[in-house]
Amino acid sequence: MSLPNDFWRSVLKRGFRSMAEEESLNDVKKQFQQYSTHNYKPLPVNLIKGDGVYVWDEEGNEYLDFIGTYSATAHGHLNPAVVKALKDQLDSVAVVSRAFYNAEVGLFCQALAEYCELDMVCPMNSGAEANETCIKLARKWGYTVKEVPDNQAEILVFQDNFHGRTTTIVGFSTEEAYKHNFGPFTPGFKVVPFGDIEAVKAAITPNTVAVLGEPIQAEGGIIIPPKGFLADLRRVCTENNVLLIWDEVQTGFCRTGKRFAWQYEDAKPDLLAVGKPLGGGLLPVSAAVGRKEIMEVFQPGDHGSTFGGNPLAAAVAITALAVMEEEHYAEQSTAMGNLMRSLLSNLPYSQIVDVRGKGLLIGFEVDETVDTVKLSANLTKNGILTKETRNRTFRLTPPLTIPEGIVREAVGRIDAAFAATI
Ligand SMILES: *Cc1c(COP(=O)(O)O)cnc(C)c1O
């Protein structure tokens, strides 16, 4: 394969979009095979258009997007208000560096801090970076405020955690495939069982600076901790002068039916990692958000990101937050999530062993008799796009804008896919 002679000119003259529209699924597969690293295993669909809950392939087949970009398209595809904010911002300026002040970024930091009920924001791009930022903040706080001896800081993390893919973060993953052949890893992390408050207590030492966890483990298979665990963890952290860091990159921004999942138990964090839907489904926007006493440890030069905190991202993110608030995403997520889980629970298949989740963060788990590859293919055939997370659990994380009629239709399609599989 090689590029046609007039490729570069065509990009500028005809426009890239019309060139992309001429590609068949087979062309795209070949390009991915030859020119893209194989770190994903995509479903065999070539998506070229999206609108709300719907996406379409190049042949015009329509699908319901039940991965929702792993929760990042909470607003649906191309939400008109967020798209308008992006276009409007493009009339003035898109990207400047943090070497200067910028009004959009100032407003963004204030709005996000207040939305999170915390004090200060460190803007980043990806979820992994937001977590890395929290880790650096917690360590520096540990040395400069808690007075932990040099290079002795410990952070507790949980079995089956998912916090991103940097070398530091995969180093404390318990998923062998995520870390095999990628070592040596950053020291200073200790893994404890998720949901086990006694194990947390036992693992804390005078050098423990933080506990980092997800209030519901999403990638881990939609794992909800025992009732009371979030509040217990908050209490234990406070008692031991240990920071509580919630990674709400996936659970945050109304996905579970509240602004943040920690609000189910009033387990307010000291540091919070947010991302995914903060970009309104258009751009990567993330942040570490936290209490002033901790955030203040960062001095000029301590941390940074070229694109973290740019005016275009700020305009998109603020508008994304405004839409969530004004259009009552939390209530919508609760109502549609309850409906979807109850409809799924009523499906007549003993092979579905569990339907769980909060709001529109839903997993349904199937037993060993179900061929999950076949089920995935049948879901696609029936116009439902989703994949397995871990532990034979299929993830359902549609846009939070999904109307009741489509929830009902989707469960009908899942029913049909199941009937065709077993
Ligand atoms: C997706 C995710 C991340 C990583 O976000 P990226 O933007 O892919 O780096 C971190 N934590 C949680 C809980 C996530 O779901």
Side-chain angles (χ1 to χ4, degrees):
M1 262 205 305
S2 58
L3 291 174
N5 284 334
D6 58 350
F7 180 81
W8 302 114
R9 181 181 310 169
S10 293
V11 169
L12 299 181
K13 287 267 153 51
R14 279 176 58 204
F16 178 59
R17 172 68 192 177
S18 75
M19 296 163 70
E21 274 172 357
E22 286 170 7
E23 298 238 315
S24 69
L25 173 59
N26 250 342
D27 296 333
V28 183
K29 273 187 178 168
K30 279 187 197 146
Q31 283 159 336
F32 272 62
Q33 179 63 27
Q34 188 170 350
Y35 295 110
S36 164
T37 56
H38 299 166
N39 51 325
Y40 281 88
K41 190 162 177 274
L43 294 172
V45 285
N46 168 31
L47 299 179
I48 62 157
K49 187 174 156 57
D51 183 8
V53 185
Y54 292 101
V55 284
W56 290 267
D57 67 19
E58 83 287 358
E59 291 177 342
N61 297 312
E62 181 184 282
Y63 305 90
L64 293 170
D65 184 359
F66 266 80
I67 296 187
T69 327
Y70 309 104
S71 297
T73 41
H75 300 74
H77 291 277
L78 301 180
N79 182 285
V82 189
V83 168
K84 181 175 186 303
L86 184 137
K87 286 183 173 168
D88 288 351
Q89 184 63 34
L90 292 177
D91 290 334
S92 47
V93 70
V95 179
V96 296
S97 72
R98 295 291 307 274
F100 313 108
Y101 286 104
N102 167 261
E104 284 87 348
V105 176
L107 274 170
F108 163 70
C109 291
Q110 180 182 3
L112 181 61
E114 291 191 10
Y115 184 96
C116 297
E117 300 174 30
L118 288 160
D119 304 321
M120 293 170 88
V121 166
C122 183
M124 289 283 134
N125 311 282
S126 70
E129 286 175 303
N131 281 300
E132 288 274 354
T133 304
C134 289
I135 290 166
K136 285 176 73 174
L137 283 163
R139 283 181 168 183
K140 188 165 183 193
W141 172 87
Y143 298 125
T144 59
V145 179
K146 188 172 174 173
E147 299 183 345
V148 169
D150 272 1
N151 291 320
Q152 300 295 307
E154 291 170 355
I155 294 177
L156 303 187
V157 296
F158 293 102
Q159 183 80 31
D160 291 321
N161 67 71
F162 184 83
H163 299 291
R165 300 293 201 148
T166 63
T167 40
T168 287
I169 288 172
V170 298
F172 58 79
S173 172
T174 56
E175 189 72 4
E176 205 38 44
Y178 290 179
K179 55 197 298 188
H180 185 58
N181 283 332
F182 298 123
F185 297 119
T186 312
F189 298 92
K190 231 197 260 180
V191 180
V192 294
F194 186 55
D196 183 345
I197 197 66
E198 293 308 319
V200 172
K201 282 190 206 162
I204 289 176
T205 73
N207 293 340
T208 306
V209 295
V211 178
L212 166 63
E214 304 146 86
I216 296 175
Q217 293 186 323
E219 298 304 303
I222 323 291
I223 304 170
I224 302 172
K227 209 169 162 46
F229 177 70
L230 308 185
D232 284 346
L233 191 60
R234 173 66 277 177
R235 188 175 40 76
V236 167
C237 283
T238 304
E239 284 167 6
N240 290 280
N241 193 24
V242 165
L243 302 179
L244 175 58
I245 310 172
W246 286 133
D247 174 354
E248 294 233 28
V249 170
Q250 185 149 178
T251 51
F253 301 116
C254 310
R255 173 55 56 184
T256 71
K258 289 189 184 286
R259 280 185 178 183
F260 295 103
W262 65 258
Q263 292 168 327
Y264 277 100
E265 295 190 7
D266 207 10
K268 187 171 169 172
D270 302 296
L271 292 172
L272 177 68
V274 292
K276 291 194 169 123
L278 185 56
L282 300 185
L283 294 174
V285 186
S286 77
V289 190
R291 288 201 292 115
K292 185 164 186 281
E293 181 205 23
I294 306 145
M295 302 302 279
E296 271 184 342
V297 302
F298 271 174
Q299 296 297 312
D302 276 354
H303 194 51
S305 164
T306 303
F307 285 92
N310 69 73
L312 190 63
V316 162
I318 287 222
T319 309
L321 291 176
V323 171
M324 289 177 214
E325 279 302 282
E326 292 298 308
E327 296 183 10
H328 311 290
Y329 276 24
E331 292 83 351
Q332 164 80 3
S333 176
T334 299
M336 292 305 115
N338 287 344
L339 174 66
M340 180 130 202
R341 282 196 308 281
S342 89
L343 292 173
L344 286 168
S345 302
N346 287 334
L347 290 179
Y349 303 105
S350 60
Q351 293 89 340
I352 300 180
V353 292
D354 196 17
V355 176
R356 58 181 177 267
K358 270 205 163 87
L360 280 167
L361 178 64
I362 300 174
F364 72 92
E365 187 179 335
V366 298
D367 69 17
E368 284 87 56
T369 64
V370 179
D371 179 344
T372 54
V373 176
K374 195 170 161 201
L375 178 56
S376 211
N378 281 326
L379 285 165
T380 305
K381 231 181 260 170
N382 280 278
I384 295 280
L385 296 184
T386 186
K387 289 187 99 173
E388 253 183 290
T389 61
R390 285 177 235 166
N391 311 321
R392 312 183 63 81
T393 298
F394 282 80
R395 172 214 314 267
L396 299 170
T397 47
L400 303 182
T401 54
I402 190 169
E404 181 177 334
I406 301 186
V407 169
R408 292 183 184 279
E409 184 187 327
V411 175
R413 293 189 192 188
I414 291 169
D415 190 350
F418 233 93
T421 304
I422 58 171

